Amino acid sequence: MAGKGAAPGTAVLLVTANVGSLFDDPENLQKNWLREFYQVVHTHKPHFMALHCQEFGGKNYEASMSHVDKFVKELLSSDAMKEYNRARVYLDENFKSQEHFTALGSFYFLHESLKNIYQFDFKAKKYKKVTGKEIYSDTLESTPMLEKEKFPQDYFPECKWSRKGFVRTRWCVADCAFDLVNIHLFHDASNLVAWETSPSVYSGIRHKALGYVLDRIIDQRFENVSYFVFGDFNFRLDSKSVVETLCTKATMQTVRAADTNEVVKLIFRESDNDRKVMLQLEKKLFDYFNQEVFRDNNGTALLEFDKELSVFKDRLYELDISFPPSYPYSEDAGQGRRYMNTRCPAWCDRVLMSPSARELILKSESEEKVVTYDHIGPNVCMGDHKPVFLAFRIAPGAGKPHAHVHKCCVVQ
């Protein structure tokens, strides 16, 4: 399948997917999700594929164990994946440890035509050839083929059971060494709090956590290589600016709790037009009267409010976004395009890269379009998040000048 009649080079597919919904309603959602995922694999025919999952196992991992096993087995043995004869699966199943559990799942698939692929052993500090299919779970901390960390509790003290963290692996494909980081950053706990300041307090928490990850993967413990960071960043639109723009001609009514005088609801009404309600805002309600604004032209009019990545403009790059906000979609299996009215739609799910990784991708861009950055299942219910993917090719010889640095070709 991979590479037949295609452009030269090594085809790579990187996918990020918050899959919590799939385990909360597996009967209705998993089949459609897998079908759409396999379609993207078939279209792009990658030699090397990475699938980074967040909230793997859903809200209650212990209750979902059988569904988790079934999902993993399906991915590893399905007809659609039969040409991928090597795989590595890393599942954080240590749900009994609040101190360590991240609910991250990382899948890596290697096509049978791909030769000489190596994975880095962080303990031995050398690359090892990848053979066969292996699954690692429970306590990933003892696995030398990855680095895993959960963010410190004090990063987000109001969320006692937060699972946010990251898992890092390192690979050498076609003489190119690169890190792949599966990441899940902190969410907005309250729409009302997010609306209070610009940027929001939650944006600052995510900024701190992402900075921690970037510092960690370029510290002095290991050789620095290109890196791709993809996962659920929980990046949100600047709430204050969005509300001011959507409700320019509106008047605001504040509703307070009778006992505490705390603000519990904001209602924005048109000044005229019978004072029609435009937006209602509560802790977990963002009910705007016209959802089309988030879908029209893939929501590009709202990209100016997507500001959280700008802090890292010298350290992280992203290709142009041309797909609608990836979250929060309805979890109704019959609704593929509708957003839930719990949060302001936003591009939470992203594939980001280091400056050198960007150069690697740009080298492979020829006259034909070989780089695609898009979402999966635009018209199908994929859960509350649409998966997002980056497909590209590593051009022949792109990594050769650096081959001696990471010694891909001379390890066991």
Side-chain angles (χ1 to χ4, degrees):
M1 180 176 76
K4 290 180 182 175
T10 303
V12 177
L13 178 65
L14 308 179
V15 182
T16 178
N18 184 314
V19 293
S21 301
L22 301 194
F23 299 97
D24 296 332
D25 184 13
E27 299 305 318
N28 289 312
L29 298 182
Q30 280 194 21
K31 189 175 179 182
N32 286 344
W33 192 97
L34 287 164
R35 186 187 68 239
E36 296 294 317
F37 173 74
Y38 292 148
Q39 183 57 52
V40 169
V41 174
H42 178 75
T43 299
H44 294 279
K45 300 177 171 53
H47 299 97
F48 178 88
M49 174 172 33
L51 168 62
H52 283 178
C53 297
Q54 306 82 42
E55 293 296 341
F56 198 77
K59 293 183 180 69
N60 188 338
Y61 201 107
E62 194 164 11
S64 301
M65 289 292 277
S66 62
H67 301 306
V68 166
D69 293 343
K70 185 178 176 184
F71 185 82
V72 173
K73 187 176 180 181
E74 161 66 27
L75 274 174
L76 288 175
S77 61
S78 74
D79 196 54
M81 305 289 283
K82 65 184 178 185
E83 293 182 16
Y84 295 88
N85 63 348
R86 290 153 293 168
R88 291 292 182 271
V89 179
Y90 302 102
L91 306 176
D92 186 356
E93 295 186 337
N94 191 18
F95 54 84
K96 291 180 180 174
S97 171
Q98 286 197 356
E99 186 183 347
H100 296 112
F101 186 48
T102 63
L104 294 174
S106 300
F107 297 75
Y108 304 97
F109 302 95
L110 287 57
H111 191 265
E112 60 192 13
S113 66
L114 187 61
K115 310 297 182 198
N116 298 326
I117 180 162
Y118 302 90
Q119 187 181 2
F120 191 66
D121 181 320
F122 287 96
K123 191 171 183 181
K125 294 191 176 183
K126 62 182 178 182
Y127 288 88
K128 295 183 176 179
K129 193 163 186 174
V130 181
T131 59
K133 296 180 179 181
E134 296 176 1
I135 300 173
Y136 298 86
S137 60
D138 198 18
T139 50
L140 295 184
E141 286 81 7
S142 60
T143 306
M145 307 308 286
L146 59 78
E147 285 199 317
K148 175 200 145 191
E149 283 191 58
K150 181 175 174 177
F151 295 119
Q153 179 68 50
D154 60 6
Y155 274 35
F156 200 38
E158 66 184 90
C159 194
K160 292 190 176 118
W161 53 273
S162 171
R163 307 161 161 189
K164 308 304 190 288
F166 70 96
V167 170
R168 167 201 194 186
T169 57
R170 176 171 291 189
W171 303 83
C172 184
V173 181
D175 285 331
C176 289
F178 49 79
D179 283 347
L180 300 180
V181 181
N182 186 354
I183 191 169
H184 195 183
L185 296 183
F186 301 98
H187 61 284
D188 281 13
S190 166
N191 292 324
L192 293 169
V193 173
W195 176 82
E196 289 173 355
T197 58
S198 175
S200 78
V201 61
Y202 304 118
S203 173
I205 294 169
R206 288 187 285 271
H207 172 197
K208 181 179 179 182
L210 182 52
Y212 175 87
V213 175
L214 296 182
D215 289 344
R216 188 76 173 142
I217 61 179
I218 62 167
D219 62 20
Q220 299 305 307
R221 293 170 303 136
F222 306 104
E223 197 80 52
N224 281 354
V225 299
S226 300
Y227 53 85
F228 294 88
V229 186
F230 50 113
D232 179 2
F233 292 84
N234 261 315
F235 287 162
R236 306 300 170 99
L237 304 185
D238 186 79
S239 187
K240 195 167 186 65
S241 303
V242 170
V243 170
E244 287 172 356
T245 302
L246 294 178
C247 304
T248 306
K249 297 179 180 178
T251 56
M252 185 181 80
Q253 174 190 350
T254 302
V255 181
R256 296 178 181 273
D259 51 347
T260 64
N261 205 36
E262 179 187 4
V263 175
V264 293
K265 188 170 190 173
L266 300 175
I267 304 171
F268 296 83
R269 301 177 186 272
E270 287 192 22
S271 302
D272 44 27
N273 195 22
D274 295 329
R275 297 195 39 80
K276 173 184 170 184
V277 173
M278 299 180 71
L279 172 67
Q280 297 182 77
L281 207 62
E282 296 177 10
K283 181 178 180 178
K284 293 186 178 180
L285 177 75
F286 188 98
D287 189 4
Y288 187 63
F289 78 102
N290 177 23
Q291 276 204 3
E292 286 305 313
V293 71
F294 303 110
R295 290 190 289 259
D296 284 348
N297 196 24
N298 290 322
T300 47
L302 296 166
L303 278 170
E304 66 174 292
F305 306 114
D306 179 68
K307 301 175 180 178
E308 294 196 34
L309 189 56
S310 61
V311 179
F312 298 96
K313 64 180 187 299
D314 297 324
R315 304 175 73 183
L316 285 171
Y317 287 89
E318 182 177 31
L319 300 189
D320 290 340
I321 292 176
S322 58
F323 50 89
S326 63
Y327 170 85
Y329 280 91
S330 169
E331 295 171 299
D332 180 338
Q335 296 286 349
R337 287 167 50 80
R338 180 179 295 279
Y339 288 105
M340 284 193 285
N341 61 3
T342 52
R343 309 284 185 190
C344 177
W347 288 273
C348 292
D349 308 274
R350 320 278 277 254
V351 182
L352 310 179
M353 67 202 78
S354 65
S356 57
R358 178 172 175 258
E359 290 302 312
L360 190 66
I361 288 181
L362 294 181
K363 275 183 193 174
S364 69
E365 265 284 41
S366 57
E367 290 178 10
E368 58 181 310
K369 190 173 187 292
V370 295
V371 179
T372 306
Y373 188 36
D374 206 350
H375 65 329
I376 300 177
N379 301 308
V380 176
C381 180
M382 305 288 282
D384 57 351
H385 289 255
K386 297 283 190 195
V388 168
F389 74 92
L390 175 67
F392 63 96
R393 286 182 172 271
I394 300 175
K400 288 286 197 297
H402 307 291
H404 67 284
V405 174
H406 41 75
K407 303 182 177 66
C408 288
C409 305
V410 293
V411 292
Q412 28 184 326

